[in-house]
């Protein structure tokens, strides 16, 4: 019971060529998909760089604005401190003079 298998070589080659063509098509498709992914990654990278630059600009602008406002507040607080020191000094001098007038009523200043 030996069976002989007869196959035409042309049929085998035809089938192999068909399979190779299918594999080449799949490889081409995957190559195109990979290229599309690379393009999308490049676009995302550009967008991230753009966002990073915008964020840096906004941060610098905010920092400059806050520094200006804080320096203005510092000047105002310095002025208020001077005013309060002057008022406190005047009150202390007035209290000393009032105490001197009370303790020494006959003395003229």
């Amino acid at each position: 019971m030996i069976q002989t298998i007869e196959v035409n070589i042309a049929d085998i080659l035809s089938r192999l060529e068909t399979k190779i063509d299918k594999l080449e098509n799949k490889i081409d498709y995957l190559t195109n998909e990979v290229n599309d992914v690379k393009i999308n990654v490049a676009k995302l990278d550009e967008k991230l760089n753009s966002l990073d630059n915008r964020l840096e600009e906004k941060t610098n602008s905010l920092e400059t604005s806050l520094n200006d406002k804080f320096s203005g507040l510092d000047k105002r607080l310095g002025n208020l401190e001077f005013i309060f020191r002057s008022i406190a000094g005047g009150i202390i001098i007035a209290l000393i003079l009032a105490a001197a007038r009370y303790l020494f009523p006959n003395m003229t200043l």
Side-chain angles (χ1 to χ4, degrees), residues 10-26:
D11 289 340
I12 292 175
L13 287 176
S14 173
R15 280 192 246 151
L16 284 175
E17 286 177 357
T18 304
K19 289 186 179 195
I20 289 173
D21 287 341
K22 286 180 182 179
L23 285 174
E24 286 177 346
N25 288 339
K26 288 180 181 180

mmCIF file with all atom_site columns, all heavy atoms in Angstrom, residues 10-26:
data_model
loop_
_atom_site.group_PDB
_atom_site.id
_atom_site.type_symbol
_atom_site.label_atom_id
_atom_site.label_alt_id
_atom_site.label_comp_id
_atom_site.label_asym_id
_atom_site.label_entity_id
_atom_site.label_seq_id
_atom_site.pdbx_PDB_ins_code
_atom_site.Cartn_x
_atom_site.Cartn_y
_atom_site.Cartn_z
_atom_site.occupancy
_atom_site.B_iso_or_equiv
_atom_site.pdbx_formal_charge
_atom_site.auth_seq_id
_atom_site.auth_comp_id
_atom_site.auth_asym_id
_atom_site.auth_atom_id
_atom_site.pdbx_PDB_model_num
ATOM 1   N N   . ALA A 1 10 ? 5.008  23.317 -10.899 1.00 0.00 ? 10 ALA A N   1
ATOM 2   C CA  . ALA A 1 10 ? 4.485  24.632 -11.277 1.00 0.00 ? 10 ALA A CA  1
ATOM 3   C C   . ALA A 1 10 ? 3.381  25.061 -10.302 1.00 0.00 ? 10 ALA A C   1
ATOM 4   O O   . ALA A 1 10 ? 3.300  26.236 -9.927  1.00 0.00 ? 10 ALA A O   1
ATOM 5   C CB  . ALA A 1 10 ? 3.955  24.611 -12.695 1.00 0.00 ? 10 ALA A CB  1
ATOM 6   N N   . ASP A 1 11 ? 2.560  24.121 -9.869  1.00 0.00 ? 11 ASP A N   1
ATOM 7   C CA  . ASP A 1 11 ? 1.517  24.449 -8.893  1.00 0.00 ? 11 ASP A CA  1
ATOM 8   C C   . ASP A 1 11 ? 2.122  24.866 -7.554  1.00 0.00 ? 11 ASP A C   1
ATOM 9   O O   . ASP A 1 11 ? 1.659  25.809 -6.907  1.00 0.00 ? 11 ASP A O   1
ATOM 10  C CB  . ASP A 1 11 ? 0.587  23.244 -8.681  1.00 0.00 ? 11 ASP A CB  1
ATOM 11  C CG  . ASP A 1 11 ? -0.303 22.966 -9.881  1.00 0.00 ? 11 ASP A CG  1
ATOM 12  O OD1 . ASP A 1 11 ? -0.485 23.895 -10.694 1.00 0.00 ? 11 ASP A OD1 1
ATOM 13  O OD2 . ASP A 1 11 ? -0.811 21.833 -9.989  1.00 0.00 ? 11 ASP A OD2 1
ATOM 14  N N   . ILE A 1 12 ? 3.139  24.143 -7.136  1.00 0.00 ? 12 ILE A N   1
ATOM 15  C CA  . ILE A 1 12 ? 3.800  24.472 -5.863  1.00 0.00 ? 12 ILE A CA  1
ATOM 16  C C   . ILE A 1 12 ? 4.425  25.859 -5.942  1.00 0.00 ? 12 ILE A C   1
ATOM 17  O O   . ILE A 1 12 ? 4.282  26.678 -5.039  1.00 0.00 ? 12 ILE A O   1
ATOM 18  C CB  . ILE A 1 12 ? 4.855  23.404 -5.518  1.00 0.00 ? 12 ILE A CB  1
ATOM 19  C CG1 . ILE A 1 12 ? 4.173  22.067 -5.193  1.00 0.00 ? 12 ILE A CG1 1
ATOM 20  C CG2 . ILE A 1 12 ? 5.708  23.863 -4.327  1.00 0.00 ? 12 ILE A CG2 1
ATOM 21  C CD1 . ILE A 1 12 ? 5.115  20.927 -4.960  1.00 0.00 ? 12 ILE A CD1 1
ATOM 22  N N   . LEU A 1 13 ? 5.123  26.140 -7.045  1.00 0.00 ? 13 LEU A N   1
ATOM 23  C CA  . LEU A 1 13 ? 5.742  27.443 -7.216  1.00 0.00 ? 13 LEU A CA  1
ATOM 24  C C   . LEU A 1 13 ? 4.690  28.551 -7.262  1.00 0.00 ? 13 LEU A C   1
ATOM 25  O O   . LEU A 1 13 ? 4.886  29.630 -6.693  1.00 0.00 ? 13 LEU A O   1
ATOM 26  C CB  . LEU A 1 13 ? 6.597  27.472 -8.483  1.00 0.00 ? 13 LEU A CB  1
ATOM 27  C CG  . LEU A 1 13 ? 7.910  26.694 -8.417  1.00 0.00 ? 13 LEU A CG  1
ATOM 28  C CD1 . LEU A 1 13 ? 8.612  26.734 -9.766  1.00 0.00 ? 13 LEU A CD1 1
ATOM 29  C CD2 . LEU A 1 13 ? 8.825  27.247 -7.348  1.00 0.00 ? 13 LEU A CD2 1
ATOM 30  N N   . SER A 1 14 ? 3.594  28.255 -7.875  1.00 0.00 ? 14 SER A N   1
ATOM 31  C CA  . SER A 1 14 ? 2.510  29.234 -7.959  1.00 0.00 ? 14 SER A CA  1
ATOM 32  C C   . SER A 1 14 ? 1.962  29.542 -6.572  1.00 0.00 ? 14 SER A C   1
ATOM 33  O O   . SER A 1 14 ? 1.731  30.705 -6.220  1.00 0.00 ? 14 SER A O   1
ATOM 34  C CB  . SER A 1 14 ? 1.412  28.719 -8.870  1.00 0.00 ? 14 SER A CB  1
ATOM 35  O OG  . SER A 1 14 ? 0.312  29.568 -8.842  1.00 0.00 ? 14 SER A OG  1
ATOM 36  N N   . ARG A 1 15 ? 1.757  28.521 -5.779  1.00 0.00 ? 15 ARG A N   1
ATOM 37  C CA  . ARG A 1 15 ? 1.268  28.718 -4.426  1.00 0.00 ? 15 ARG A CA  1
ATOM 38  C C   . ARG A 1 15 ? 2.291  29.465 -3.568  1.00 0.00 ? 15 ARG A C   1
ATOM 39  O O   . ARG A 1 15 ? 1.937  30.350 -2.783  1.00 0.00 ? 15 ARG A O   1
ATOM 40  C CB  . ARG A 1 15 ? 0.926  27.374 -3.778  1.00 0.00 ? 15 ARG A CB  1
ATOM 41  C CG  . ARG A 1 15 ? -0.426 26.851 -4.212  1.00 0.00 ? 15 ARG A CG  1
ATOM 42  C CD  . ARG A 1 15 ? -0.872 25.684 -3.356  1.00 0.00 ? 15 ARG A CD  1
ATOM 43  N NE  . ARG A 1 15 ? -0.912 24.520 -4.238  1.00 0.00 ? 15 ARG A NE  1
ATOM 44  C CZ  . ARG A 1 15 ? -0.723 23.274 -3.857  1.00 0.00 ? 15 ARG A CZ  1
ATOM 45  N NH1 . ARG A 1 15 ? -0.456 23.001 -2.609  1.00 0.00 ? 15 ARG A NH1 1
ATOM 46  N NH2 . ARG A 1 15 ? -0.797 22.290 -4.719  1.00 0.00 ? 15 ARG A NH2 1
ATOM 47  N N   . LEU A 1 16 ? 3.554  29.113 -3.692  1.00 0.00 ? 16 LEU A N   1
ATOM 48  C CA  . LEU A 1 16 ? 4.600  29.811 -2.944  1.00 0.00 ? 16 LEU A CA  1
ATOM 49  C C   . LEU A 1 16 ? 4.668  31.279 -3.338  1.00 0.00 ? 16 LEU A C   1
ATOM 50  O O   . LEU A 1 16 ? 4.807  32.150 -2.478  1.00 0.00 ? 16 LEU A O   1
ATOM 51  C CB  . LEU A 1 16 ? 5.957  29.144 -3.189  1.00 0.00 ? 16 LEU A CB  1
ATOM 52  C CG  . LEU A 1 16 ? 6.214  27.831 -2.452  1.00 0.00 ? 16 LEU A CG  1
ATOM 53  C CD1 . LEU A 1 16 ? 7.541  27.233 -2.873  1.00 0.00 ? 16 LEU A CD1 1
ATOM 54  C CD2 . LEU A 1 16 ? 6.192  28.042 -0.948  1.00 0.00 ? 16 LEU A CD2 1
ATOM 55  N N   . GLU A 1 17 ? 4.568  31.565 -4.613  1.00 0.00 ? 17 GLU A N   1
ATOM 56  C CA  . GLU A 1 17 ? 4.595  32.951 -5.071  1.00 0.00 ? 17 GLU A CA  1
ATOM 57  C C   . GLU A 1 17 ? 3.398  33.728 -4.523  1.00 0.00 ? 17 GLU A C   1
ATOM 58  O O   . GLU A 1 17 ? 3.522  34.883 -4.108  1.00 0.00 ? 17 GLU A O   1
ATOM 59  C CB  . GLU A 1 17 ? 4.613  33.031 -6.591  1.00 0.00 ? 17 GLU A CB  1
ATOM 60  C CG  . GLU A 1 17 ? 5.950  32.668 -7.191  1.00 0.00 ? 17 GLU A CG  1
ATOM 61  C CD  . GLU A 1 17 ? 5.931  32.690 -8.715  1.00 0.00 ? 17 GLU A CD  1
ATOM 62  O OE1 . GLU A 1 17 ? 4.859  32.934 -9.313  1.00 0.00 ? 17 GLU A OE1 1
ATOM 63  O OE2 . GLU A 1 17 ? 6.995  32.457 -9.293  1.00 0.00 ? 17 GLU A OE2 1
ATOM 64  N N   . THR A 1 18 ? 2.254  33.067 -4.484  1.00 0.00 ? 18 THR A N   1
ATOM 65  C CA  . THR A 1 18 ? 1.057  33.708 -3.941  1.00 0.00 ? 18 THR A CA  1
ATOM 66  C C   . THR A 1 18 ? 1.252  34.032 -2.451  1.00 0.00 ? 18 THR A C   1
ATOM 67  O O   . THR A 1 18 ? 0.934  35.132 -1.998  1.00 0.00 ? 18 THR A O   1
ATOM 68  C CB  . THR A 1 18 ? -0.171 32.798 -4.130  1.00 0.00 ? 18 THR A CB  1
ATOM 69  O OG1 . THR A 1 18 ? -0.312 32.474 -5.501  1.00 0.00 ? 18 THR A OG1 1
ATOM 70  C CG2 . THR A 1 18 ? -1.431 33.461 -3.627  1.00 0.00 ? 18 THR A CG2 1
ATOM 71  N N   . LYS A 1 19 ? 1.795  33.078 -1.715  1.00 0.00 ? 19 LYS A N   1
ATOM 72  C CA  . LYS A 1 19 ? 2.034  33.299 -0.294  1.00 0.00 ? 19 LYS A CA  1
ATOM 73  C C   . LYS A 1 19 ? 3.099  34.377 -0.068  1.00 0.00 ? 19 LYS A C   1
ATOM 74  O O   . LYS A 1 19 ? 2.967  35.218 0.832   1.00 0.00 ? 19 LYS A O   1
ATOM 75  C CB  . LYS A 1 19 ? 2.426  32.000 0.399   1.00 0.00 ? 19 LYS A CB  1
ATOM 76  C CG  . LYS A 1 19 ? 1.258  31.036 0.512   1.00 0.00 ? 19 LYS A CG  1
ATOM 77  C CD  . LYS A 1 19 ? 1.601  29.829 1.322   1.00 0.00 ? 19 LYS A CD  1
ATOM 78  C CE  . LYS A 1 19 ? 0.369  28.932 1.399   1.00 0.00 ? 19 LYS A CE  1
ATOM 79  N NZ  . LYS A 1 19 ? 0.470  27.928 2.423   1.00 0.00 ? 19 LYS A NZ  1
ATOM 80  N N   . ILE A 1 20 ? 4.126  34.377 -0.884  1.00 0.00 ? 20 ILE A N   1
ATOM 81  C CA  . ILE A 1 20 ? 5.168  35.401 -0.771  1.00 0.00 ? 20 ILE A CA  1
ATOM 82  C C   . ILE A 1 20 ? 4.585  36.774 -1.087  1.00 0.00 ? 20 ILE A C   1
ATOM 83  O O   . ILE A 1 20 ? 4.887  37.756 -0.409  1.00 0.00 ? 20 ILE A O   1
ATOM 84  C CB  . ILE A 1 20 ? 6.372  35.066 -1.685  1.00 0.00 ? 20 ILE A CB  1
ATOM 85  C CG1 . ILE A 1 20 ? 7.126  33.866 -1.113  1.00 0.00 ? 20 ILE A CG1 1
ATOM 86  C CG2 . ILE A 1 20 ? 7.305  36.263 -1.819  1.00 0.00 ? 20 ILE A CG2 1
ATOM 87  C CD1 . ILE A 1 20 ? 8.226  33.341 -2.015  1.00 0.00 ? 20 ILE A CD1 1
ATOM 88  N N   . ASP A 1 21 ? 3.724  36.838 -2.101  1.00 0.00 ? 21 ASP A N   1
ATOM 89  C CA  . ASP A 1 21 ? 3.070  38.113 -2.425  1.00 0.00 ? 21 ASP A CA  1
ATOM 90  C C   . ASP A 1 21 ? 2.207  38.601 -1.260  1.00 0.00 ? 21 ASP A C   1
ATOM 91  O O   . ASP A 1 21 ? 2.203  39.793 -0.935  1.00 0.00 ? 21 ASP A O   1
ATOM 92  C CB  . ASP A 1 21 ? 2.213  37.974 -3.694  1.00 0.00 ? 21 ASP A CB  1
ATOM 93  C CG  . ASP A 1 21 ? 3.046  37.870 -4.957  1.00 0.00 ? 21 ASP A CG  1
ATOM 94  O OD1 . ASP A 1 21 ? 4.230  38.268 -4.910  1.00 0.00 ? 21 ASP A OD1 1
ATOM 95  O OD2 . ASP A 1 21 ? 2.508  37.408 -5.983  1.00 0.00 ? 21 ASP A OD2 1
ATOM 96  N N   . LYS A 1 22 ? 1.477  37.696 -0.630  1.00 0.00 ? 22 LYS A N   1
ATOM 97  C CA  . LYS A 1 22 ? 0.659  38.072 0.516   1.00 0.00 ? 22 LYS A CA  1
ATOM 98  C C   . LYS A 1 22 ? 1.540  38.585 1.665   1.00 0.00 ? 22 LYS A C   1
ATOM 99  O O   . LYS A 1 22 ? 1.217  39.593 2.311   1.00 0.00 ? 22 LYS A O   1
ATOM 100 C CB  . LYS A 1 22 ? -0.184 36.887 0.998   1.00 0.00 ? 22 LYS A CB  1
ATOM 101 C CG  . LYS A 1 22 ? -1.347 36.556 0.096   1.00 0.00 ? 22 LYS A CG  1
ATOM 102 C CD  . LYS A 1 22 ? -2.129 35.390 0.646   1.00 0.00 ? 22 LYS A CD  1
ATOM 103 C CE  . LYS A 1 22 ? -3.275 34.996 -0.276  1.00 0.00 ? 22 LYS A CE  1
ATOM 104 N NZ  . LYS A 1 22 ? -4.019 33.835 0.261   1.00 0.00 ? 22 LYS A NZ  1
ATOM 105 N N   . LEU A 1 23 ? 2.651  37.887 1.910   1.00 0.00 ? 23 LEU A N   1
ATOM 106 C CA  . LEU A 1 23 ? 3.568  38.327 2.956   1.00 0.00 ? 23 LEU A CA  1
ATOM 107 C C   . LEU A 1 23 ? 4.165  39.695 2.626   1.00 0.00 ? 23 LEU A C   1
ATOM 108 O O   . LEU A 1 23 ? 4.297  40.545 3.512   1.00 0.00 ? 23 LEU A O   1
ATOM 109 C CB  . LEU A 1 23 ? 4.691  37.306 3.151   1.00 0.00 ? 23 LEU A CB  1
ATOM 110 C CG  . LEU A 1 23 ? 4.307  36.023 3.897   1.00 0.00 ? 23 LEU A CG  1
ATOM 111 C CD1 . LEU A 1 23 ? 5.470  35.048 3.889   1.00 0.00 ? 23 LEU A CD1 1
ATOM 112 C CD2 . LEU A 1 23 ? 3.896  36.329 5.322   1.00 0.00 ? 23 LEU A CD2 1
ATOM 113 N N   . GLU A 1 24 ? 4.529  39.909 1.365   1.00 0.00 ? 24 GLU A N   1
ATOM 114 C CA  . GLU A 1 24 ? 5.061  41.209 0.960   1.00 0.00 ? 24 GLU A CA  1
ATOM 115 C C   . GLU A 1 24 ? 4.020  42.305 1.145   1.00 0.00 ? 24 GLU A C   1
ATOM 116 O O   . GLU A 1 24 ? 4.350  43.415 1.594   1.00 0.00 ? 24 GLU A O   1
ATOM 117 C CB  . GLU A 1 24 ? 5.540  41.173 -0.489  1.00 0.00 ? 24 GLU A CB  1
ATOM 118 C CG  . GLU A 1 24 ? 6.847  40.420 -0.678  1.00 0.00 ? 24 GLU A CG  1
ATOM 119 C CD  . GLU A 1 24 ? 7.265  40.326 -2.142  1.00 0.00 ? 24 GLU A CD  1
ATOM 120 O OE1 . GLU A 1 24 ? 6.428  40.611 -3.032  1.00 0.00 ? 24 GLU A OE1 1
ATOM 121 O OE2 . GLU A 1 24 ? 8.423  39.964 -2.387  1.00 0.00 ? 24 GLU A OE2 1
ATOM 122 N N   . ASN A 1 25 ? 2.768  42.000 0.817   1.00 0.00 ? 25 ASN A N   1
ATOM 123 C CA  . ASN A 1 25 ? 1.691  42.983 1.021   1.00 0.00 ? 25 ASN A CA  1
ATOM 124 C C   . ASN A 1 25 ? 1.519  43.310 2.508   1.00 0.00 ? 25 ASN A C   1
ATOM 125 O O   . ASN A 1 25 ? 1.325  44.471 2.879   1.00 0.00 ? 25 ASN A O   1
ATOM 126 C CB  . ASN A 1 25 ? 0.380  42.477 0.432   1.00 0.00 ? 25 ASN A CB  1
ATOM 127 C CG  . ASN A 1 25 ? 0.377  42.480 -1.079  1.00 0.00 ? 25 ASN A CG  1
ATOM 128 O OD1 . ASN A 1 25 ? 1.161  43.193 -1.701  1.00 0.00 ? 25 ASN A OD1 1
ATOM 129 N ND2 . ASN A 1 25 ? -0.484 41.679 -1.681  1.00 0.00 ? 25 ASN A ND2 1
ATOM 130 N N   . LYS A 1 26 ? 1.583  42.277 3.342   1.00 0.00 ? 26 LYS A N   1
ATOM 131 C CA  . LYS A 1 26 ? 1.466  42.505 4.780   1.00 0.00 ? 26 LYS A CA  1
ATOM 132 C C   . LYS A 1 26 ? 2.646  43.321 5.298   1.00 0.00 ? 26 LYS A C   1
ATOM 133 O O   . LYS A 1 26 ? 2.477  44.226 6.125   1.00 0.00 ? 26 LYS A O   1
ATOM 134 C CB  . LYS A 1 26 ? 1.374  41.182 5.531   1.00 0.00 ? 26 LYS A CB  1
ATOM 135 C CG  . LYS A 1 26 ? 0.042  40.477 5.355   1.00 0.00 ? 26 LYS A CG  1
ATOM 136 C CD  . LYS A 1 26 ? -0.007 39.175 6.122   1.00 0.00 ? 26 LYS A CD  1
ATOM 137 C CE  . LYS A 1 26 ? -1.345 38.485 5.902   1.00 0.00 ? 26 LYS A CE  1
ATOM 138 N NZ  . LYS A 1 26 ? -1.425 37.210 6.624   1.00 0.00 ? 26 LYS A NZ  1
#
